[in-house]
Amino acid sequence: MAALTRNKKNRTNSQTPPLNKRTKSSPLKKAAKSQKPPLKKQRRCIPEEKPVIATDEEEEEEIEQSNQGDEGSESGSDFFSDGDGEDVNDDGGADDLLFGSDDEEGTLGSDSDESDIEIKSRAIDKKRKKEEKDAKDEFTMNIKEQPDEFQLPTKKELEAEARGAPDLPSLQIRIREIVRVLSNFKDLRPDGAKRTDYVDQLKADLCSYYGYNEFLIGTLIEMFPVVELMELIEAFEKKRPTSIRTNTLKTRRRDLADVLLNRGVNLDPLSKWSKEVGLIVYDSQVPIGATPEYLAGFYMLQSASSFLPVMALAPQEKERVVDMAAAPGGKTTYVAALMKNTGIIYANEMKVPRLKSLCANLHRMGVTNTIVCNYDGRELSKVLGQNSVDRVLLDAPCSGTGVISKDESVKTSKSADDINKFAHLQKQLILSAIDLVDANSKTGGYIVYSTCSIMIPENEAVIDYALKKRDAKVVPCGLDFGQPGFSSFREQRFHPSVEKTRRFYPHVHNMDGFFVAKLKKMSNAMQPTETDKPVETMRQAQVSSSDDDEEAEAIEDLKKPSVANGQPKRESNTKEYKNRQKFPRSKETHKGRRNTRIKSESGSGTVEEPRKQKKKRSQWKNEIAQAREEKRNAMRENAKERPKHRK
């Protein structure tokens, strides 16, 4: 038995070393190999950054750390090599040797990662500080190069610029500097500088940079402060967003938005003021004006500013409404939708070619309460009858200075004469619109006047003219936003109620430039009130008084009895009096001004004297006829007496 046990022990001793070598050598080598790759993987996980120029100190630190890492790796290899010949009796210890310790791997990986991150973070901080320092030095250098005070270019410099092509960057910088100086001219102006010089230079630069003519830029500079002027001009250079109006006769805005979103149209509700009908379109994968929904009349392509006049008009059901300039039909179809196809709408358009688009849109949108007519808007009150409708919408033809982003030709094509012509036409149209409205209407009696212009002669001046010529007043438009109208401009002074009108600008409201005014007709009287009659000038009063004095003297001379031969001739027999009788002066222009007072000049000064009371026309006519009859009778008697005296 002892021999058997010895043989077994020998067998086990002889067999175990090869097994230990097999089991230890291959796993340990694998473990030694498996310990290094995780460090590389962890290093790869660190985000790569731009190469940083390292200094000498940083390079030395990296070399030392790399040497330490090499020493650690060598010690690790020695550790595994020394353990090849030892017996491992404990299972836990064998597992540690075979697969490595998690604590050791974590400590080794964390130390190396932390060291790499610290190096890179230091390099990034150092680079950032260097960039900040360079930027600061460059900023101070630029400040030193530029003068403290902006100086206008001299005549020679301007002549040199005019010879060559315009330098747009330098023009932009100069415009910015001039605007900065003019915004606080009291504190920033150089000694001896005049504001007019800066304004003139700003006009010239804006004309050359943005392509405006001198008239339009000069008018805009007078209307707006320079800072707001630049915002307005920059807004004119950008296109306004596309907007559509839902046709409530056929669908709702929510349903329409869902359908268009499914077709690839990116849109949003316009705003709260659009009253559940407006949508703003950012982009579309299909043509927004050729979708099946558009052809079916579910919506209308319409700018946001075109919603405003109809919203201000606020038509009611079963009313009689007139749209004096209806084409292409965007506002007319909106009015029909608000009236729910009840009542009557007279859609008038003076230009025959535009009637085609008007009728097409009316049919497409399903409007059935509209009558299309082709008349001059100035004569429309004679066709439909005065005081015959409840409301009138007048979107008057204008210069288009509020839609420059759509039509850039306005920058150079409009002049002062064009503005005056449009203003004259607009005054005639608004008087015709007021005459159409019935002041005694139970629900209406309103006129809405709108233009796509920002010029004051086309807007506030027209409203002020209408207030003087007709018995009407300005009422609030019912719009929650918009800037009030001008109550005065330069030497012009308008009615205080003109401030109730509303102006809309692209740089403030992100829509086309627009003007909206709402009038309420107070009575059907066409003549202006006494306060609005033209005031008689001093020269006219003096002329009328002198004419009256001459007529009174002529009547007194005619009343004198005739005298026999040898007496001097009366004034009635002179040529001057006969010519005066042939061409009498008209007194119609001076009618109703008998009680005015004039100032007669004297040596000491001016003294007010009452005018002589003028006799009635019928009375002095009878007196002249009577005086002439007496003269004829006297001449007959003299003719009878002359033959007797000769005998």
Side-chain angles (χ1 to χ4, degrees), residues 181-186 189 193-200 226:
V181 173
L182 289 176
S183 61
N184 190 9
F185 191 72
K186 184 178 180 180
R189 69 171 182 177
K194 296 181 180 179
R195 187 182 184 88
T196 55
D197 297 338
Y198 281 83
V199 173
D200 293 340
V226 287

Side-chain angles (χ1 to χ4, degrees), residues 43 72 143 199 202 277 286 305 430-431 433 480 538 590 616:
R43 289 177 183 176
I143 290 175
V199 173
L202 180 62
V277 294
V286 295
S305 57
I430 195 171
L431 292 183
D480 299 335
M538 188 65 63
H590 308 298
K616 292 183 179 180

Side-chain angles (χ1 to χ4, degrees), residues 142-349:
N142 292 335
I143 290 175
K144 290 179 180 179
E145 291 177 357
Q146 294 180 356
D148 296 338
E149 295 182 354
F150 172 73
Q151 299 292 336
L152 291 174
T154 60
K155 292 183 179 180
K156 294 182 179 179
E157 293 176 352
L158 293 175
E159 291 176 358
E161 288 182 3
R163 292 169 191 163
D167 187 5
L168 296 182
S170 62
L171 275 176
Q172 188 177 14
I173 294 171
R174 190 162 64 196
I175 289 171
R176 193 183 300 116
E177 288 295 327
I178 293 175
V179 169
R180 182 181 64 84
V181 173
L182 289 176
S183 61
N184 190 9
F185 191 72
K186 184 178 180 180
D187 298 333
L188 300 178
R189 69 171 182 177
D191 295 337
K194 296 181 180 179
R195 187 182 184 88
T196 55
D197 297 338
Y198 281 83
V199 173
D200 293 340
Q201 187 61 46
L202 180 62
K203 288 181 183 179
D205 292 343
L206 290 176
C207 290
S208 58
Y209 189 82
Y210 292 99
Y212 288 82
N213 58 15
E214 294 182 1
F215 162 74
L216 196 55
I217 281 293
T219 305
L220 294 177
I221 286 177
E222 292 174 352
M223 289 177 60
F224 301 98
V226 287
V227 178
E228 188 176 1
L229 171 66
M230 294 307 302
E231 294 176 357
L232 176 66
I233 292 176
E234 289 292 340
F236 279 145
E237 299 299 314
K238 302 175 184 177
K239 291 185 178 181
R240 305 275 75 77
T242 304
S243 59
I244 60 177
R245 178 181 58 81
T246 307
N247 184 14
T248 54
L249 294 174
K250 293 188 175 183
T251 185
R252 296 183 302 173
R253 184 171 70 171
R254 182 183 300 174
D255 299 336
L256 177 63
D258 292 340
V259 174
L260 293 179
L261 285 172
N262 293 332
R263 292 193 180 277
V265 181
N266 186 13
L267 50 81
D268 276 329
L270 180 57
S271 188
K272 292 182 179 179
W273 60 264
S274 64
K275 295 184 179 180
E276 299 296 330
V277 294
L279 289 169
I280 182 169
V281 178
Y282 299 109
D283 55 62
S284 175
Q285 297 179 3
V286 295
I288 196 66
T291 60
E293 289 75 23
Y294 176 82
L295 299 176
F298 286 1
Y299 64 89
M300 180 84 176
L301 279 169
Q302 193 172 4
S303 63
S305 57
S306 298
F307 293 18
L308 304 174
V310 182
M311 294 172 61
L313 185 66
Q316 305 297 320
E317 297 181 19
K318 299 180 181 180
E319 283 188 341
R320 293 164 61 90
V321 181
V322 175
D323 189 355
M324 295 186 68
K331 299 179 183 64
T332 306
T333 53
Y334 193 9
V335 172
L338 292 177
M339 295 174 64
K340 298 179 181 179
N341 263 342
T342 61
I344 299 176
I345 300 174
Y346 296 97
N348 180 66
E349 177 57 42

Side-chain angles (χ1 to χ4, degrees), residues 11 14 129 162 212 242 276 371 420 441 447 541 589 601 630:
R11 288 177 184 175
S14 63
K129 289 179 181 179
Y212 288 82
T242 304
E276 299 296 330
I371 300 172
N420 293 331
S441 175
I447 305 98
T589 56
E601 296 182 358
E630 292 177 357

Side-chain angles (χ1 to χ4, degrees), residues 557-576:
D557 293 338
L558 287 173
K559 284 184 178 181
K560 294 179 181 179
S562 59
V563 185
N565 294 335
Q567 294 290 336
K569 294 182 179 180
R570 292 177 297 179
E571 188 180 358
S572 59
N573 296 331
T574 60
K575 293 182 180 180
E576 295 178 1

Side-chain angles (χ1 to χ4, degrees), residues 63-81:
I63 292 168
E64 290 176 1
Q65 290 177 0
S66 62
N67 293 332
Q68 292 176 1
D70 295 335
E71 292 175 359
S73 62
E74 291 175 1
S75 63
S77 61
D78 295 339
F79 171 77
F80 290 118
S81 62

